[in-house]
Amino acid sequence: MSVLLIGGHGYIGSHVAIALARHKKVVIVDDHSNSNSDVGDRIGTVLGPYAGNIRHYNLTVATSYNSIGRLEDIIRANDVESVIHLAGLKSVGESTQRPLLYLAYNTELLYSVLCAMRHTGVKKILFSSTAALYGNGSEEPLGEDSPIVCTNAYSESKHIQELVLRQLAAQNEVQFTILRYFNPIGNDPSGILGENPPSKPNNVLPYMLRCVGTHTPFTVFGNDYNTVDGTGVRDYIDVCDLADAHVKVITEDSFENETYNVGYGTGTSVLQLVEMVQNLVGTRYLSYDIGPRRPGDIGMCVANPKKFIDKFNWVPKSNVEKAIESHWKWELRRRVDLEKSKS
Ligand code: UD1
């Protein structure tokens, strides 16, 4: 029996693959539309003896008959018992420019996955969702019942997919677990694996670390929020802890049509993040300035993860500082690789 991991070469997917392959056989489907083609090799290097537990398939999951049929073949050939679906378009900024693309593409992808599952009799699905559903955030930690306020097509597409899963579960077609991720940061501690976007990273830590030692000041987007120091507060979670949360769901075979927030339940402001990075690399290597708010940004977004912790006895192994260290290790390696590729 194995677990099908759709989007298993992406940032979160590759970390889920590494964590899960130590317990289960994992079948990755990815088309590298938002990841490098060498991710599979890097996963193998990190896993060492467990690398044999992973199979990789290069497949674009689309709504065509061929694509769904190919996915069904993969499910049958690997005796798949459950699916983790992490693939999809994920840039909030782009989704505001191209809402139709985000709504159509992300929901069609789920449609294809569900068709293949139905035709092969697989019912269990772990679906990756997002704290972006909570829209304007809140000064209180966000529980799963906090109001859903979609402010862009990315979160709307996640909301629609959640609704589809609930509808099908009510008809006993699927059994789901939905994880709403807060802000994943960090990388595998080996430094071998990490996200490498070709242009400016969207998220705060990867961009901040790119600024380190380059004489590029990091810009803090606004310092007039109602938060501890006026800058945006988020619940950053080490991607390895987030990956372990997936392992919990799969190894406990928990598909009870429940939705969980996955974060640490503690907030870190942008200025606190700057200070943590400066503590690691040296104050003089990271300077910052204060700019205007980023359009659409919110002040505070912190999880109440009690439901997940209680259900799975989840004890995170890492913290924000360790995640920054592992991300920095990857950033250093990324720079070395970049230099090598130029020479
Ligand atoms: C982003 C995504 C969201 C996703 C979440 C977790 C956007 C608009 N939203 O949200 O969909 O679920 O990550 O991956 O992309 N900041 C700066 N300077 C920078 C970059 C960011 O000060 O150069 C600040 C932001 O204003 C914010 C904090 O850093 O206060 C975190 O920003 P970011 O990493 O983009 O995450 P989110 O805004 O939470």
Side-chain angles (χ1 to χ4, degrees), residues 95 97-106 153:
S95 84
Q97 312 290 321
R98 309 178 73 186
L100 180 59
L101 173 70
Y102 269 67
L103 291 167
Y105 183 89
N106 285 351

Side-chain angles (χ1 to χ4, degrees), residues 92 130 183 203-204 218-221 232 234 236 270 294 297:
V92 169
T130 172
N183 288 57
N203 292 118
V204 63
F218 168 78
T219 300
V220 177
F221 293 151
R234 297 290 184 274
Y236 298 101
V270 181
R294 182 171 61 180
D297 249 356

Side-chain angles (χ1 to χ4, degrees), residues 26-101:
V26 177
V27 181
I28 291 178
V29 165
D30 204 303
D31 67 355
H32 301 119
S33 51
N34 196 20
S35 60
N36 292 336
S37 53
D38 66 353
V39 174
D41 292 339
R42 288 176 189 257
I43 290 174
T45 309
V46 173
L47 275 173
Y50 291 102
N53 277 352
I54 300 199
R55 277 193 175 175
H56 304 265
Y57 291 89
N58 192 339
L59 174 72
T60 299
V61 180
T63 46
S64 71
Y65 178 77
N66 273 349
S67 161
I68 295 172
R70 182 87 183 95
L71 198 56
E72 290 168 18
D73 291 344
I74 292 171
I75 290 174
R76 288 195 191 96
N78 292 284
D79 199 11
V80 167
E81 60 180 329
S82 56
V83 174
I84 301 179
H85 178 33
L86 304 118
L89 300 172
K90 62 169 190 174
S91 162
V92 169
E94 189 186 38
S95 84
T96 58
Q97 312 290 321
R98 309 178 73 186
L100 180 59
L101 173 70

Side-chain angles (χ1 to χ4, degrees), residues 13 40 54 63 71 118 152 182 208 257 259 290 310 324:
I54 300 199
T63 46
L71 198 56
R118 174 187 280 180
N152 52 67
F182 279 66
M208 197 185 284
N257 304 329
T259 300
I290 307 286
D310 288 352
I324 293 172

